Amino acid sequence: MSSQTPAVPMRKVAVASCVGTTIEYYDFFIYGTAAALVFPKVFFPALGATAGTVAAFATFAVAFIARPVGAILFGHFGDRIGRKRTLISTLLLMGIATVLIGLLPGAATIGVAAPIILVVLRFAQGLAVGGEWAGATLLTAEYAPPAKRGLYAVFPQLGPAIAFALSSGTFLVTNLVMGDADAAFLDYGWRVPFLVSILLVAVGFYVRMSIAETPAFVAAGGTAGLDRPKRLPFLEAVRKQPREILLSAGSLTMLFAFFYMGTTYLTSYGTSKTGAGLTRPVVLGIGIAAAVAFGIVIVVAGVLSDRLGRRRVIVYSSALGVVWSLALFPLLDTGSPVAFAVGVLVTLMIFAVAYGPAGSFLPELFQTRFRYTGAGLGYNLAGVLGGAIPPLVAPGLTASFGSIAVGVMLAVTGLISLVSTLALKETRGTAMTAGQASEATVA
């Protein structure tokens, strides 16, 4: 570690990365839950049930289009002025956009302006998350010792699990307090989770302000720019490591597909009369249980990646995903609450097997000088392929060909991830700076 870098306990770094991603993804996920449960009626009432659901998920997908833009924008500043200050900016942008969504009047009040403003604010959320993940994972990966990087890198990865439990729990409590007053929930109840996020942002801001800049950034010259990119970090990353950007995006495609199908599309499918037909509290309760389960698996997978290698663990997840995709919807179509719970749990646990090592795998693939940009681009391009497209086309596939078509689509994402991961090198034990000795020799 550079002598210029103050010693920071890894526990403090881990908490800062976890708290930040939890807040960012809480804001991101409450939108997904609202898109599944209320947005078709609040913002697209004239389109009808099916078209309204497609439109709501289209606004959900807008954020995934924004994520690569956010990766480039915030990656530029993360690689030029530092990880810490950039992460504070992403946190504030996400918090402001989320609160404004909670205050936005519906289509019945301001007409077509409502969905237009919603899309703009959703784009802002996407920009923030696009810059968040790479910075949060670099915060732990650039502090952690090589032999334990897989372990410490799971802390920012736990953010989505905690956030999904919080978002589902907030909607569940709001729904239970209001009972069967569906009109009240549609009018103002759904807004509560969005407005509550301002408290979480304040906590995250305080925690992140207490963390020093990462040793790897300081060792590379810090803001003095001794080893900063001579041109735009985006251009340098694309010129020097295009293969790693594209293959890392392919490697994580199934991860995104499974996660957003499990957390967003299946929430809608579970409450739909043409789907599982379950009550809203049951579906939200299952979501909370699933969040606990896949959070545990994320930790286990991250620890295993320190022993078996990042690449091998992600390959296992992709192979499992191909098989499970073809069994998922026949299981869900039984209409049993138990079958639905198993479907959500297994889908998210397979996602978690790959997500645990991803926090160390992508940062280890890229050079320090443009690591924020490169890791962010790979991750967020995967978000477009796996997170935006499947939930958007799934309702149409189900209507035209039956639910099995969605399973086939998910299996294809698994094959893409399997082939892409096999084409990448193993990174376990890679040194994050020129002066850091590599541990755990990799063949």
Side-chain angles (χ1 to χ4, degrees):
M1 182 178 295
S2 168
S3 60
Q4 302 175 49
T5 308
V8 179
M10 277 307 302
R11 186 189 325 177
K12 190 174 185 180
V13 174
V15 169
S17 64
C18 184
V19 167
T21 54
T22 296
I23 294 165
E24 292 266 9
Y25 281 93
Y26 167 82
D27 290 354
F28 202 71
F29 293 156
I30 56 176
Y31 189 101
T33 304
L37 298 178
V38 300
F39 281 3
K41 296 178 181 177
V42 173
F43 293 105
F44 306 99
L47 298 181
T50 301
T53 299
V54 171
F57 282 133
T59 65
F60 182 79
V62 163
F64 290 95
I65 306 302
R67 285 173 71 152
V69 180
I72 295 170
L73 174 65
F74 289 107
H76 174 86
F77 293 107
D79 285 325
R80 299 289 299 186
I81 68 172
R83 319 324 192 185
K84 173 185 172 177
R85 284 189 281 181
T86 304
L87 283 171
I88 290 171
S89 299
T90 65
L91 187 67
L92 292 177
L93 177 60
M94 174 62 84
I96 292 169
T98 302
V99 170
L100 290 177
I101 290 174
L103 297 173
L104 181 61
T109 304
I110 60 174
V112 72
I116 293 174
I117 297 172
L118 180 68
V119 168
V120 172
L121 294 175
R122 182 59 175 168
F123 191 86
Q125 282 192 319
L127 287 177
V129 172
E132 167 66 22
W133 183 86
T137 55
L138 263 57
L139 197 65
T140 51
E142 292 185 345
Y143 265 108
K148 293 185 178 180
R149 193 175 294 131
L151 167 63
Y152 285 112
V154 304
F155 284 93
Q157 305 299 79
L158 283 174
I162 300 171
F164 185 50
L166 283 175
S167 64
S168 296
T170 308
F171 273 103
L172 177 60
V173 169
T174 303
N175 189 82
L176 292 176
V177 168
M178 293 185 171
D180 295 325
D182 195 55
F185 185 78
L186 290 174
D187 184 32
Y188 64 87
W190 66 270
R191 301 177 185 276
V192 173
F194 288 84
L195 300 178
V196 165
S197 72
I198 193 65
L199 302 176
L200 300 177
V201 170
V203 172
F205 182 81
Y206 171 78
V207 172
R208 283 197 168 165
M209 285 294 292
S210 68
I211 296 295
E213 188 53 77
T214 69
F217 183 81
V218 173
T223 55
L226 301 181
D227 190 31
R228 301 274 62 79
K230 300 299 186 294
R231 58 179 70 191
L232 293 175
F234 166 70
L235 295 178
E236 191 162 348
V238 170
R239 184 172 65 87
K240 292 192 173 181
Q241 291 191 272
R243 182 177 183 275
E244 285 79 4
I245 292 173
L246 293 175
L247 288 177
S248 61
S251 176
L252 302 188
T253 294
M254 189 207 76
L255 176 157
F256 274 96
F258 269 53
F259 185 73
Y260 286 102
M261 291 298 291
T263 57
T264 301
Y265 177 73
L266 290 185
T267 298
S268 175
Y269 185 87
T271 56
S272 170
K273 294 180 180 178
T274 58
L278 305 177
T279 64
R280 189 184 296 150
V282 168
V283 171
L284 291 172
I286 290 171
I288 295 171
V292 174
F294 80 74
I296 294 171
V297 175
I298 284 173
V299 175
V300 173
V303 172
L304 283 176
S305 77
D306 279 330
R307 296 176 175 269
L308 304 178
R310 330 294 188 207
R311 180 173 171 267
R312 183 182 298 182
V313 176
I314 295 174
V315 163
Y316 290 158
S317 172
S318 301
L320 283 171
V322 173
V323 177
W324 176 248
S325 297
L326 301 176
L328 173 60
F329 283 92
L331 176 68
L332 295 177
D333 287 343
T334 64
S336 164
V338 174
F340 181 81
V342 170
V344 173
L345 280 167
V346 175
T347 299
L348 292 177
M349 288 169 73
I350 291 174
F351 143 81
V353 173
Y355 199 60
S360 51
F361 187 48
L362 263 66
E364 289 170 341
L365 284 170
F366 296 95
Q367 298 177 34
T368 304
R369 54 195 292 115
F370 49 77
R371 183 175 291 139
Y372 201 125
T373 300
L377 269 176
Y379 184 81
N380 290 295
L381 286 173
V384 175
L385 295 173
I389 297 173
L392 185 59
V393 304
L397 285 176
T398 302
S400 300
F401 306 105
S403 60
I404 189 62
V406 180
V408 173
M409 175 186 65
L410 290 178
V412 170
T413 68
L415 288 172
I416 292 172
S417 292
L418 181 61
V419 172
S420 299
T421 306
L422 289 172
L424 286 165
K425 66 179 181 179
E426 177 55 66
T427 63
R428 175 170 56 99
T430 299
M432 301 296 277
T433 65
Q436 182 186 55
S438 292
E439 301 177 23
T441 301
V442 178

